[in-house]
Amino acid sequence: MTSPSGRLSIMAPKPNPKVAKAFRAMKDLGISEDMVKPALKNLLKLYDKNWEHIEAENYRALIDAIFEIEDEEVHHQPEQPLKRPRPGNQDQDFSLVEENIATTSATFLHFANTNSDTALNNTDPQQLQDTMEPSKLAVSNSNPSDESESDSPPSCLRPRGRRPTSSKALAIAEASEAHQPCDTNETLYLSQMSLKDQHKELVPSHPSEEDNTLSERLSQGAQDISNGKDTEEEFIGKCDSANGVHRVIPPENETSTSFHNSANGITDGVLLLPEDAALSTHGLYTSIHDNESGPADNSIGTVNRKKVLEMGAEKSVSVIKNKWNQARTSETTYLLDATDITKGEENVRISIINHYNDVFPPSFCYINESLVGRKAQVNVSLAQIGKEDCCSTCARDCLSLKDICICTRSTGGRYAYTTDGILNEEFLEECISMTRNPQKHSQFFCEDCPLQVRKDKDAREPCKGHLVRKIIKECWRKCQCSKHCGNRLVQRGISHKLQVFMTSGGKGWGLRTLVDLPKGTFVCEYVGEILTVSELYLRNQSCLGNCADAVVLDAGWASSKEIKEDKALCLDATVYGNVARFINHRCADANLVAIPVEVETPDHFYHRVAFFTSKKVGALEELTRDYGINFNDCDHFTRPFSCRCGSTFCRNMKHYNRKRTKENALLPFDFKI
Ligand SMILES: C[S@@+](CC[C@H](N)C(=O)[O-])C[C@H]1O[C@@H](n2cnc3c(N)ncnc32)[C@H](O)[C@@H]1O
């Protein structure tokens, strides 16, 4: 480059602001540049220049790394090569574990990658800045939660897992039919994310349709195509599986001696295996059991003596220590079960599969029925259920009785379900029509719309309308029929095999069926925290760019002139939820339709939201629903996303929106804040 004087000048490399910021932050803590340099260099190498992890929790990893180096210097120990998982390694593919993974009780392994890190030889901070680029990982924040807020979700709900990088891990799950529960020999995938990371979802690059076809074929054949390349070591901690929550308990004493405290190099609660151990699924499984001491009580596994000896005590200790250090960056580390995301909460196991990368689904607390939040008014007292709201003269199965049950009152004296356990066709068609053509159906306009009242006075708009929806009333406990009554479908929960999977169309995770579903089949409910709209609004305000996934329970609003604040309810599945939180949006021709269902309370303000198939859905087809989003309307709670539904009726296409703005103003059921 030439200067104005015409002379050649050498430009100083532009400093990387992240490096400068890290140095500044350490300086503020009184840590000198000399101490920061090697630690930062190591971390950048370890994390493959992913600054997310370095900056997390005010540079906690960096501070740890600095002190680790100090410790090592004090003890005159040579630095051991650190290997940490490289978040978001997009190159790795793993496959298999289709439906049958859900049938095993195998569980979790955490695999660190073996990718060769490019050495960063330069320790000069200025030059470091030139080499350090922000990670290319696409990271999207999708969860709210300011912990300090009383409205915020509790900390038990934070895990946001990375997925094990190895298809071998899943192969183990598939192959190991004889696995035992977590507190014995079960192996676990370990989610080790910092608190901040736990609320971030790693969004993969969009796999192509071609990939999808291939991986789907593979998944059906349960083939492993990774050849174990992506697995180096497996790390397993002690597991406390109380209350269905798998929690890893770090060793109490983190000095190196505690990691190889016995003559044979075996340490309770920690399992460490080099890459080759995972090459054979049986090999890995066997090796867990091969140790001579046997697993300790309440421990997932014990260190395999042979492998530790092979690796050498020093390296083993170093690897374990680094792993624990990493785990320590989370207040608590949780495990997610790839074989059953429901943690046993549903009648069926729901497996998770990602054919494209090593990302695990965003973590949340799985619940199978909605929980009442702090302010919501949901009165389910038996006293509230009058004679007209329960069938006191029915017996067994109301659908098989000659007389129509009183619980059909809200559906015009007709059962919404058939004796085959699917939705009555006529009823279903009406519900589909309401979703697809809301403008053709009765709407209710509230005076003070709860969706508007929280806004600044100037920003408020008149109510945009709520559909006067058809509500199904199921028989319930005060009724005299049995739990198997045909008019109790939704309350019995999920009964068809489903799977959470990484979509190929750039929509992130999705939900699909593993079996053919006839039209009108109940798939699942939308389950979440029952919040008031105001609470949801507050949550939305306190989350930085990450918004909740919520469904408004407005089906009964038409029945009241004035909707009190504690009665304007919604379901937020961001933190507590079920599989429905993975259902993606499809404009107009989605294969699911949402129908309000009353089970425990007839007050109309709280109702469940049940998804039924609006058409025949084939096995492995993605399940979709229309969120009811108006992509043009930035003024409501909806956080717009760029729709990739692929429907010919997509409302996110500009020409389409221009034509249909009026109709789209209606915001049925859902909004996403
Ligand atoms: C309820 S979540 C669905 C599960 C989500 N895909 C995941 O990975 O967790 C809603 C979010 O999924 C994504 N999504 C859903 N439908 C989509 C679509 N048709 N096109 C693009 N993104 C979509 C959007 O990011 C949206 O905010």
Side-chain angles (χ1 to χ4, degrees), residues 81-156:
L82 305 178
K83 294 255 183 204
R84 298 193 192 196
R86 291 159 45 132
N89 184 344
Q90 307 279 315
D91 300 331
Q92 293 171 356
D93 186 14
F94 60 85
S95 64
L96 88 133
V97 193
E98 193 51 33
E99 189 178 345
N100 45 1
I101 190 172
T103 63
T104 74
S105 59
T107 37
F108 288 85
L109 298 167
H110 180 92
F111 285 84
N113 300 339
T114 52
N115 307 316
S116 57
D117 293 332
T118 313
L120 278 174
N121 297 320
N122 191 351
T123 54
D124 179 86
Q126 181 60 54
Q127 290 179 28
L128 265 177
Q129 291 172 12
D130 304 332
T131 56
M132 298 169 188
E133 284 169 25
S135 161
K136 291 182 183 70
L137 251 191
V139 176
S140 88
N141 298 336
S142 59
N143 277 358
S145 80
D146 174 355
E147 275 279 305
S148 59
E149 288 265 336
S150 55
D151 283 328
S152 301
S155 56
C156 93

Side-chain angles (χ1 to χ4, degrees), residues 201 362 506-510 526 549 580-586 625 627 639 641-645 672:
E201 178 186 345
K507 296 176 289 181
W509 293 94
Y526 191 96
D549 280 322
R581 72 197 298 288
F582 293 106
I583 300 174
N584 285 317
H585 162 83
R586 187 173 171 94
R625 66 186 180 96
Y627 291 4
R639 181 184 58 157
F641 53 85
S642 191
C643 187
R644 294 168 183 266
C645 73
K672 190 162 187 293

Side-chain angles (χ1 to χ4, degrees), residues 331-359:
E331 265 171 19
T332 319
T333 304
Y334 290 89
L335 304 168
L336 290 172
D337 190 339
T339 63
D340 184 13
I341 198 168
T342 82
K343 298 186 304 181
E345 290 282 331
E346 304 286 5
N347 306 323
V348 291
R349 285 172 179 250
I350 298 175
S351 57
I352 306 159
I353 190 157
N354 184 342
H355 296 296
Y356 304 108
N357 51 44
D358 60 358
V359 177

